[in-house]
Amino acid sequence: MHQSSGRWRLGLGLSLLTVWLWGILPIALTVSLRVLDVYTIIWFRFWLSFVVLAVLLGLGGKLPDWQKLRSSSGVLLAIATLFLGFNYLLFMQGLALTSAGNAEVLIQLAPLLLSLGGLVIFRERYTVHQWIGLSILTAGYMIFFHEQLSLITVQGTYILGSGLIVLGAAAWAIYALCQKQLLNSLSSAQIMVIIYGGCAVLFTPFAQPGKIVTLSSSQLLVLLFCGLNTLIAYGAFAESLQHWPASRVSAVLAIAPIITLIAVATLSTVYPTLMPTEHLTVIGILGALLVVTGSVAIALGKAN
């Protein structure tokens, strides 16, 4: 099993970069969904990430050596590619049926599942304080979801979208656990360039690239941000697993909903036509705060 390098400061810094990028991503995706379909957005994000990363690795002479890949690595790469593709598709479909804030809160089940997977598969350990943090984190999710469900009128659509996002979270956790184990045989960048390329090929038959050339300059900039967000955020996440236990990384990632909610509140105030206001009550805010409190308790608790 893969063992972390122990450079926890680097792992923490990379995790914080990831959480910031993932926190604002749903907003950009919501804007892009107004002018493009789900498949074309996903296709573009993967192809852009693959091309840029492949060029960077090629210039540095660090492209993966296919002949050195063991059969076990090949299987794990295939699983990781499929499930990351599922994650993107399910999250985007769910986002189209819910709001940016709701989607980001629900997708945080992904790092929670990754955390539990780290305990089971990689034999990481929680202290009592971390288990308490996990309980608080879970309670925060439940409170926030219940409160949001009570505020909306089209509950069927919301529940369907939420269900898709939950399935996307499970798919992401499977991908992430494969990613961590693959670090035994490949660098994080080599893993990601293979996965990006594989996912790009998977979505090519369903994409409509011709629509991209019809976008305005501002719409194209938002789409480019979505693509670069994929490249940088996943690169930082993959590298963070090299230096920090999966359970700690997942705890930091759970803060992403707070960033999303703050960003949505700011944008909806400054540009109300661009981003609708999220409806948050005191109870909903309490649920979000519990998510942060629990995630911090897990991240800062000393592992055995």
Side-chain angles (χ1 to χ4, degrees), residues 116-199:
L116 296 176
L119 297 177
V120 175
I121 297 176
F122 296 104
R123 299 182 180 179
E124 298 172 2
R125 294 290 181 265
Y126 273 2
T127 63
V128 173
H129 290 90
Q130 288 175 301
W131 281 114
I132 294 174
L134 182 61
S135 300
I136 295 172
L137 188 70
T138 304
Y141 289 148
M142 296 175 65
I143 291 172
F144 186 91
F145 177 74
H146 181 270
E147 183 64 12
Q148 290 299 102
L149 191 61
S150 68
L151 292 174
I152 62 175
T153 55
V154 189
Q155 292 194 358
T157 299
Y158 179 84
I159 292 174
L160 175 59
S162 299
L164 293 174
I165 294 172
V166 169
L167 290 175
W172 185 89
I174 294 173
Y175 143 77
L177 290 169
C178 292
Q179 161 86 51
K180 186 168 178 63
Q181 184 61 24
L182 283 165
L183 290 170
N184 279 329
S185 53
L186 295 167
S187 70
S188 58
Q190 290 173 331
I191 295 169
M192 294 314 302
V193 76
I194 296 172
I195 292 177
Y196 289 152
C199 286

Side-chain angles (χ1 to χ4, degrees), residues 34-252:
R34 297 175 183 174
V35 293
L36 288 175
D37 62 278
V38 169
Y39 297 100
T40 302
I41 295 173
I42 297 174
W43 171 85
F44 179 84
R45 292 173 66 192
F46 277 129
W47 269 117
L48 178 63
S49 300
F50 169 71
V51 170
V52 173
L53 187 54
V55 169
L56 291 175
L57 289 177
L59 292 175
K62 297 181 180 179
L63 285 171
D65 185 348
W66 298 96
Q67 294 181 349
K68 292 183 178 180
L69 288 177
R70 297 174 300 177
S71 59
S72 58
S73 296
V75 171
L76 282 177
L77 279 169
I79 295 173
T81 300
L82 286 173
F83 278 92
L84 185 60
F86 287 147
N87 164 257
Y88 270 55
L89 177 60
L90 292 167
F91 179 79
M92 290 288 292
Q93 295 283 16
L95 178 62
L97 299 175
T98 61
S99 65
N102 291 336
E104 188 59 37
V105 170
L106 291 175
I107 199 62
Q108 293 314 303
L109 286 171
L112 177 59
L113 293 173
L114 169 60
S115 177
L116 296 176
L119 297 177
V120 175
I121 297 176
F122 296 104
R123 299 182 180 179
E124 298 172 2
R125 294 290 181 265
Y126 273 2
T127 63
V128 173
H129 290 90
Q130 288 175 301
W131 281 114
I132 294 174
L134 182 61
S135 300
I136 295 172
L137 188 70
T138 304
Y141 289 148
M142 296 175 65
I143 291 172
F144 186 91
F145 177 74
H146 181 270
E147 183 64 12
Q148 290 299 102
L149 191 61
S150 68
L151 292 174
I152 62 175
T153 55
V154 189
Q155 292 194 358
T157 299
Y158 179 84
I159 292 174
L160 175 59
S162 299
L164 293 174
I165 294 172
V166 169
L167 290 175
W172 185 89
I174 294 173
Y175 143 77
L177 290 169
C178 292
Q179 161 86 51
K180 186 168 178 63
Q181 184 61 24
L182 283 165
L183 290 170
N184 279 329
S185 53
L186 295 167
S187 70
S188 58
Q190 290 173 331
I191 295 169
M192 294 314 302
V193 76
I194 296 172
I195 292 177
Y196 289 152
C199 286
V201 171
L202 287 175
F203 283 97
T204 295
F206 311 101
Q208 301 180 57
K211 289 185 177 181
I212 296 176
V213 299
T214 66
L215 299 180
S216 66
S217 57
S218 59
Q219 292 168 343
L220 183 58
L221 284 175
V222 173
L223 183 61
L224 285 171
F225 171 79
C226 292
L228 293 175
N229 188 298
T230 298
L231 175 66
I232 300 171
Y234 270 91
F237 165 72
E239 189 64 21
S240 69
L241 291 176
Q242 184 82 309
H243 306 290
W244 220 21
S247 54
R248 301 295 184 88
V249 172
S250 65
V252 175

